[in-house]
């Protein structure tokens, strides 16, 4: 029954392709696929019916009448070209039945049913590797020694069959288990991965994380000419792949390399000069990274990259409208900021401690408020000079609800939610950011400067104040932490409470001790720490937040001491 098991595995994978093709209305794939799928399914079911006694050993009773009725229904769908119902039957009836067959075969044959006992797969794969990649070959020949010398020594590895019958791998370290590939259908998971990251305009892909290689295999099927380099820091993960899977997808793709990168240096160098390459971090493999600093950098990249990918369509829609509706460009305001004290008002919970002091704004001071605190400042009677909004999400519109007729000038990032540019009646100044193609092109065409966003509205405000050569920069409400278990100042137009601290991380707090923060908040903090150390930061940057996370490079002070401090 091993051959039947392999056929069912292929069938389940092929059915998934069919179901998704019908959903996309990709009928070219349906037409090219349907005859093979129908014929293979009929053959497999016939073989299973002929082996009813075999499956009875596992306690599985096969109802021949049900199976034949299911086949008849499928044929009726094909005859009437009702592919929607055909796929519903595949999903609801055929898939559960085939999975039952796989479980029955594994019960009788054991979990190693996919293994060919007559072939030493590792030796076979290693023999093919010797001429193709002598460096990796040498590493695999010394895999045991390299593993014992690595930070992964002591990790446990488990190769096991998935629900559909393919192999997956789990690792156990520190009492925690991580799966490096799907435990249900790694082929389906890999196709989704490839669809998400594939860019028809790109040829080079740099991937950290190997697992059992399904995601790399799926990319080769998208583009067999793509140049794919996979970096992996755990030699045993590479070895398990060569021991477990037939790797025709690798041997047939001469542009694919697997790099044993024990200290992450090769991947780091690739990141530094990635150029026009697509850089991908395989999320399950990221969970297996043992170096905390490297893991943090990778997590930061994943957050940034995911944000861009998730919001790509929204960014395009927003920027199209913002380009049209903004009245001017932020460069026009340089003289309004240059040589002045710029107070950037963020919406952290500590703002409540000193917001009243902002009413005493002296001459030569500019108050630049984030959108989330605009309403509260207006209610407090604070004379706000500018508001800045960068968030692309629809919920951000609530920040100006009821304030649409305010005349405070607003700075809008090119990708900020488009409704604000349409609704807000005050003057609106566009801000184009570095790293977003449409904004860069627009700025180039109009000879505008580009600004760094750093991932948040506060970081964008900081970069603008720096580039505009403020005399000094003062932050208030910049907690970047859950001070008092609160995310934002009350009444600031945002959700204030946050009860679950289990997923948070601890960072040093202003005044000593620690405070909880999220990874996005922490990424913004570290971005700011790096930004204020750059050569163009010739002005002092103060943190007058009176709470929250400590930020290296910022001078901690009280707002009441700064707000009337002379400019000299």
């Amino acid at each position: 029954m091993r051959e039947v098991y392999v056929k069912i595995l292929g069938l389940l994978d092929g059915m998934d392709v069919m179901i998704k093709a019908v959903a996309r209305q990709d009928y070219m794939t349906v037409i090219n696929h349907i005859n093979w799928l129908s014929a293979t399914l009929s053959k497999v079911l016939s073989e299973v019916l002929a082996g009813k006694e075999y499956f009875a050993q596992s306690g599985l009773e096969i109802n021949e009448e049900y199976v034949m009725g299911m086949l008849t229904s499928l044929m009726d769908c094909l005859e009437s070209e009702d592919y929607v119902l055909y796929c519903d039957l595949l999903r609801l009836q055929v898939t559960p039945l085939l999975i039952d067959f796989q479980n029955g075969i594994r019960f009788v044959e054991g979990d190693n049913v996919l293994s060919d006992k007559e072939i030493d797969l590792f030796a076979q794969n290693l023999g093919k590797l010797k001429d193709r990649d002598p460096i990796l070959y040498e590493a695999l020949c010394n895999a045991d020694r390299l593993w014992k010398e690595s930070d992964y020594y002591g990790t446990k590895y488990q190769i096991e069959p998935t629900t559909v019958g393919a192999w997956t791998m789990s690792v156990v370290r520190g009492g925690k288990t991580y799966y490096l590939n799907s435990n249900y259908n790694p082929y389906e998971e890999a196709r989704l991965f490839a669809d998400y990251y594939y860019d028809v305009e790109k040829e080079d892909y740099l991937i950290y994380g190997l697992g059992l290689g399904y995601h790399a295999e799926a990319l080769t099927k998208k583009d067999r000419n793509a140049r794919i380099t996979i970096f992996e820091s755990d030699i045993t993960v590479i070895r398990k792949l060569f021991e477990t899977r037939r790797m025709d997808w690798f041997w047939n793709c001469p542009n694919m390399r697997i790099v044993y990168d024990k200290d992450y240096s090769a991947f780091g160098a690739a990141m530094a000069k990635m150029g026009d390459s697509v850089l991908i971090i395989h999320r399950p493999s990221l969970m297996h990274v043992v170096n905390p600093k490297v893991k943090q950098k990778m997590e930061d990249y994943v957050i940034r990259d995911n944000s861009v990918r998730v919001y790509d369509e929204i960014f395009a829609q927003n920027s199209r409208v913002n380009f049209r509706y903004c009245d001017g460009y932020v460069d026009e305001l340089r003289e309004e900021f240059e040589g002045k004290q710029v107070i950037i008002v963020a919406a952290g919970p500590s703002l409540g401690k000193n917001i009243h002091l902002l009413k005493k704004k002296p001459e030569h001071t500019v108050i630049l408020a984030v959108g989330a605190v605009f309403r509260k400042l207006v209610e407090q009677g604070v004379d706000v000079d500018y508001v800045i909004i960068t968030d692309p999400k629809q919920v951000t519109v609530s920040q100006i609800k009821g304030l649409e007729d305010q005349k405070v000038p607003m700075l809008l990032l090119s990708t900020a939610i488009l409704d604000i540019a349409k609704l807000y009646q005050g003057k609106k100044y566009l801000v184009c950011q570095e790293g977003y193609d449409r904004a860069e092109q627009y700025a180039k065409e109009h000879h505008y400067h580009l600004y760094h966003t750093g991932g948040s509205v506060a970081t964008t405000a900081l970069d603008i104040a720096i580039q505009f050569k403020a005399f000094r920069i003062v932050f208030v409400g910049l907690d970047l932490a859950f001070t008092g278990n609160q995310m934002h100042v009350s009444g600031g137009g945002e959700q204030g409470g946050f009860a679950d601290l289990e997923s948070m991380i601890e960072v040093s707090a202003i005044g000593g001790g620690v405070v909880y923060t999220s990874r996005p908040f922490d990424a913004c903090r570290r971005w700011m720490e790096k930004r204020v150390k750059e050569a163009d930061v010739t002005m002092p940057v103060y943190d007058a937040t009176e709470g929250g996370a400590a930020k290296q490079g910022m001078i901690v002070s009280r707002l009441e001491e700064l707000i009337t401090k002379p400019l000299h």
Side-chain angles (χ1 to χ4, degrees):
M1 281 291 174
R2 182 178 181 276
E3 291 184 2
V4 173
Y5 189 88
V6 173
K7 288 178 184 177
I8 292 176
L9 175 57
L11 260 178
L12 287 166
D13 192 48
M15 285 161 49
D16 178 70
V17 171
M18 172 67 75
I19 290 167
K20 288 181 170 57
V22 170
R24 292 194 306 267
Q25 299 195 112
D26 174 12
Y27 284 97
M28 184 64 70
T29 296
V30 172
I31 291 169
N32 291 335
H33 209 65
I34 193 67
N35 289 335
W36 169 85
L37 182 60
S38 179
T40 305
L41 179 59
S42 296
K43 185 174 182 180
V44 165
L45 292 177
S46 297
E47 292 176 342
V48 168
L49 289 175
K52 287 194 296 182
E53 293 183 1
Y54 174 89
F55 287 95
Q57 297 177 65
S58 66
L60 180 61
E61 295 184 7
I62 297 174
N63 186 326
E64 185 170 349
E65 183 178 347
Y66 174 79
V67 172
M68 296 309 298
M70 184 181 68
L71 269 177
T72 299
S73 297
L74 289 169
M75 295 305 295
D76 289 343
C77 290
L78 292 182
E79 189 173 335
S80 60
E81 296 186 352
D82 187 348
Y83 296 119
V84 173
L85 180 56
Y86 183 83
C87 287
D88 286 341
L89 293 175
L90 291 181
R91 184 187 291 110
L92 299 174
Q93 295 184 5
V94 181
T95 296
L97 190 63
L98 293 181
I99 289 174
D100 282 345
F101 296 159
Q102 296 293 70
N103 289 333
I105 295 172
R106 281 200 298 270
F107 181 89
V108 177
E109 304 291 339
D111 284 348
N112 290 326
V113 61
L114 273 178
S115 301
D116 191 334
K117 298 178 181 179
E118 298 180 0
I119 297 176
D120 185 338
L121 196 55
F122 181 63
Q124 187 181 84
N125 283 330
L126 204 59
K128 293 181 180 179
L129 183 66
K130 187 173 184 179
D131 291 332
R132 172 164 168 165
D133 191 336
I135 295 176
L136 183 61
Y137 170 81
E138 186 68 23
L140 284 173
C141 288
N142 294 280
D144 288 339
R145 176 181 60 79
L146 292 172
W147 180 67
K148 290 177 181 178
E149 294 172 353
S150 76
D151 292 334
Y152 292 98
Y153 182 61
T155 301
K156 296 180 180 178
Y157 307 81
Q158 179 67 40
I159 300 295
E160 55 190 87
T162 64
T163 301
V164 300
W167 291 120
T168 189
M169 175 165 52
S170 65
V171 294
V172 182
R173 192 179 68 251
K176 294 183 178 180
T177 301
Y178 306 100
Y179 277 91
L180 300 185
N181 299 99
S182 169
N183 199 27
Y184 175 72
N185 185 348
Y187 289 106
E188 176 187 10
E189 176 191 58
R191 269 193 301 275
L192 293 172
F193 175 98
D195 288 343
Y196 187 66
Y197 285 106
Y198 178 67
D199 186 339
V200 70
E201 301 294 332
K202 309 288 186 178
E203 293 181 333
D204 292 289
Y205 294 82
L206 307 173
I207 305 173
Y208 176 82
L210 178 64
L212 286 180
Y214 294 103
H215 53 299
E217 178 181 3
L219 268 177
T220 66
K221 291 179 179 178
K222 296 283 289 186
D223 186 347
R224 60 187 178 86
N225 293 311
R227 292 185 290 271
I228 303 170
T229 305
I230 310 157
F231 303 85
E232 176 56 57
S233 57
D234 186 348
I235 190 64
T236 303
V237 168
I238 303 176
R239 176 169 180 164
K240 291 295 182 183
L241 166 63
F242 278 74
E243 288 177 344
T244 304
R245 295 193 64 205
R246 295 182 182 276
M247 297 172 61
D248 291 343
W249 51 273
F250 180 71
W251 309 123
N252 294 334
C253 185
N255 294 328
M256 180 181 289
R257 294 175 58 226
I258 297 173
V259 177
Y260 172 49
D261 189 18
K262 64 178 180 179
D263 57 1
Y264 312 96
S265 59
F267 183 68
M271 287 184 70
K273 57 178 182 180
M274 58 183 288
D276 202 37
S277 301
V278 179
L279 180 67
I280 306 170
I281 294 175
H282 183 234
R283 177 70 185 185
S285 297
L286 173 58
M287 300 295 292
H288 186 47
V289 171
V290 293
N291 184 302
K293 291 184 178 180
V294 171
K295 189 172 186 177
Q296 183 67 67
K297 288 182 179 180
M298 289 186 180
E299 286 176 344
D300 290 348
Y301 175 81
V302 168
I303 290 171
R304 293 193 303 270
D305 181 65
N306 186 249
S307 176
V308 171
R309 291 177 183 278
V310 167
Y311 288 110
D312 186 53
E313 289 186 4
I314 296 174
F315 281 5
Q317 294 166 5
N318 289 343
S319 60
R320 185 178 66 243
V321 171
N322 289 331
F323 291 158
R324 185 188 317 150
Y325 279 86
C326 282
D327 307 293
Y329 195 70
V330 68
D331 290 354
E332 300 170 30
L333 304 177
R334 177 177 292 272
E335 292 183 1
E336 301 297 320
F337 285 73
E338 189 170 359
K340 296 181 181 179
Q341 173 174 252
V342 177
I343 299 177
I344 301 173
V345 187
S350 293
L351 180 61
K353 297 178 181 179
N354 54 16
I355 189 173
H356 61 284
L357 297 173
L358 296 174
K359 298 177 184 179
K360 305 175 183 178
K361 184 186 77 169
E363 195 176 356
H364 305 303
T365 294
V366 174
I367 292 183
L368 174 59
V370 305
V373 79
F374 184 27
R375 184 184 313 281
K376 190 172 184 68
L377 293 175
V378 170
E379 292 171 351
Q380 292 283 328
V382 175
D383 183 15
V384 180
D385 293 290
Y386 299 96
V387 177
I388 180 168
I389 291 178
T390 63
D391 201 314
K393 297 189 289 292
Q394 184 68 37
V395 68
T396 311
V397 180
S398 65
Q399 295 177 0
I400 66 160
K401 188 174 182 181
L403 303 173
E404 295 90 345
D405 60 351
Q406 290 285 318
K407 300 305 179 184
V408 178
M410 184 170 289
L411 314 186
L412 284 178
L413 194 66
S414 71
T415 51
I417 182 64
L418 59 87
D419 303 69
I420 293 177
K422 287 184 173 182
L423 297 172
Y424 190 67
Q425 296 173 28
K427 191 160 185 179
K428 300 170 286 284
Y429 293 90
L430 181 70
V431 181
C432 285
Q433 67 268 50
E434 188 173 89
Y436 180 57
D437 291 346
R438 291 182 179 88
E440 289 185 348
Q441 182 62 33
Y442 186 84
K444 182 178 179 180
E445 291 173 356
H446 293 83
H447 307 290
Y448 294 148
H449 285 92
L450 291 168
Y451 297 86
H452 302 284
T453 64
S456 79
V457 63
T459 49
T460 306
L462 172 62
D463 190 71
I464 290 172
I466 291 171
Q467 292 205 43
F468 282 178
K469 298 188 181 303
F471 179 82
R472 65 170 167 255
I473 300 170
V474 179
F475 274 104
V476 291
L478 188 69
D479 292 68
L480 295 181
F482 297 93
T483 307
N485 203 26
Q486 294 289 308
M487 183 175 183
H488 294 100
V489 64
S490 61
E494 299 281 351
Q495 296 296 319
F498 191 91
D500 181 14
L501 297 177
E502 290 186 5
S503 61
M504 299 295 102
I505 56 177
E506 288 184 347
V507 295
S508 297
I510 290 177
V514 297
V515 67
Y516 287 99
T517 189
S518 66
R519 295 199 180 280
F521 272 176
D522 195 47
C524 290
R525 176 186 64 82
R526 286 182 282 105
W527 187 93
M528 286 182 165
E529 290 179 341
K530 182 179 178 181
R531 183 69 181 93
V532 299
K533 294 177 183 177
E534 292 179 7
D536 63 336
V537 183
T538 57
M539 71 290 292
V541 181
Y542 291 89
D543 186 359
T545 298
E546 299 188 27
K551 302 102 185 165
Q552 293 181 17
M554 293 191 190
I555 305 166
V556 177
S557 184
R558 296 181 65 82
L559 182 59
E560 59 189 357
E561 297 171 0
L562 290 169
I563 199 162
T564 58
K565 187 176 181 179
L567 302 183
H568 58 75

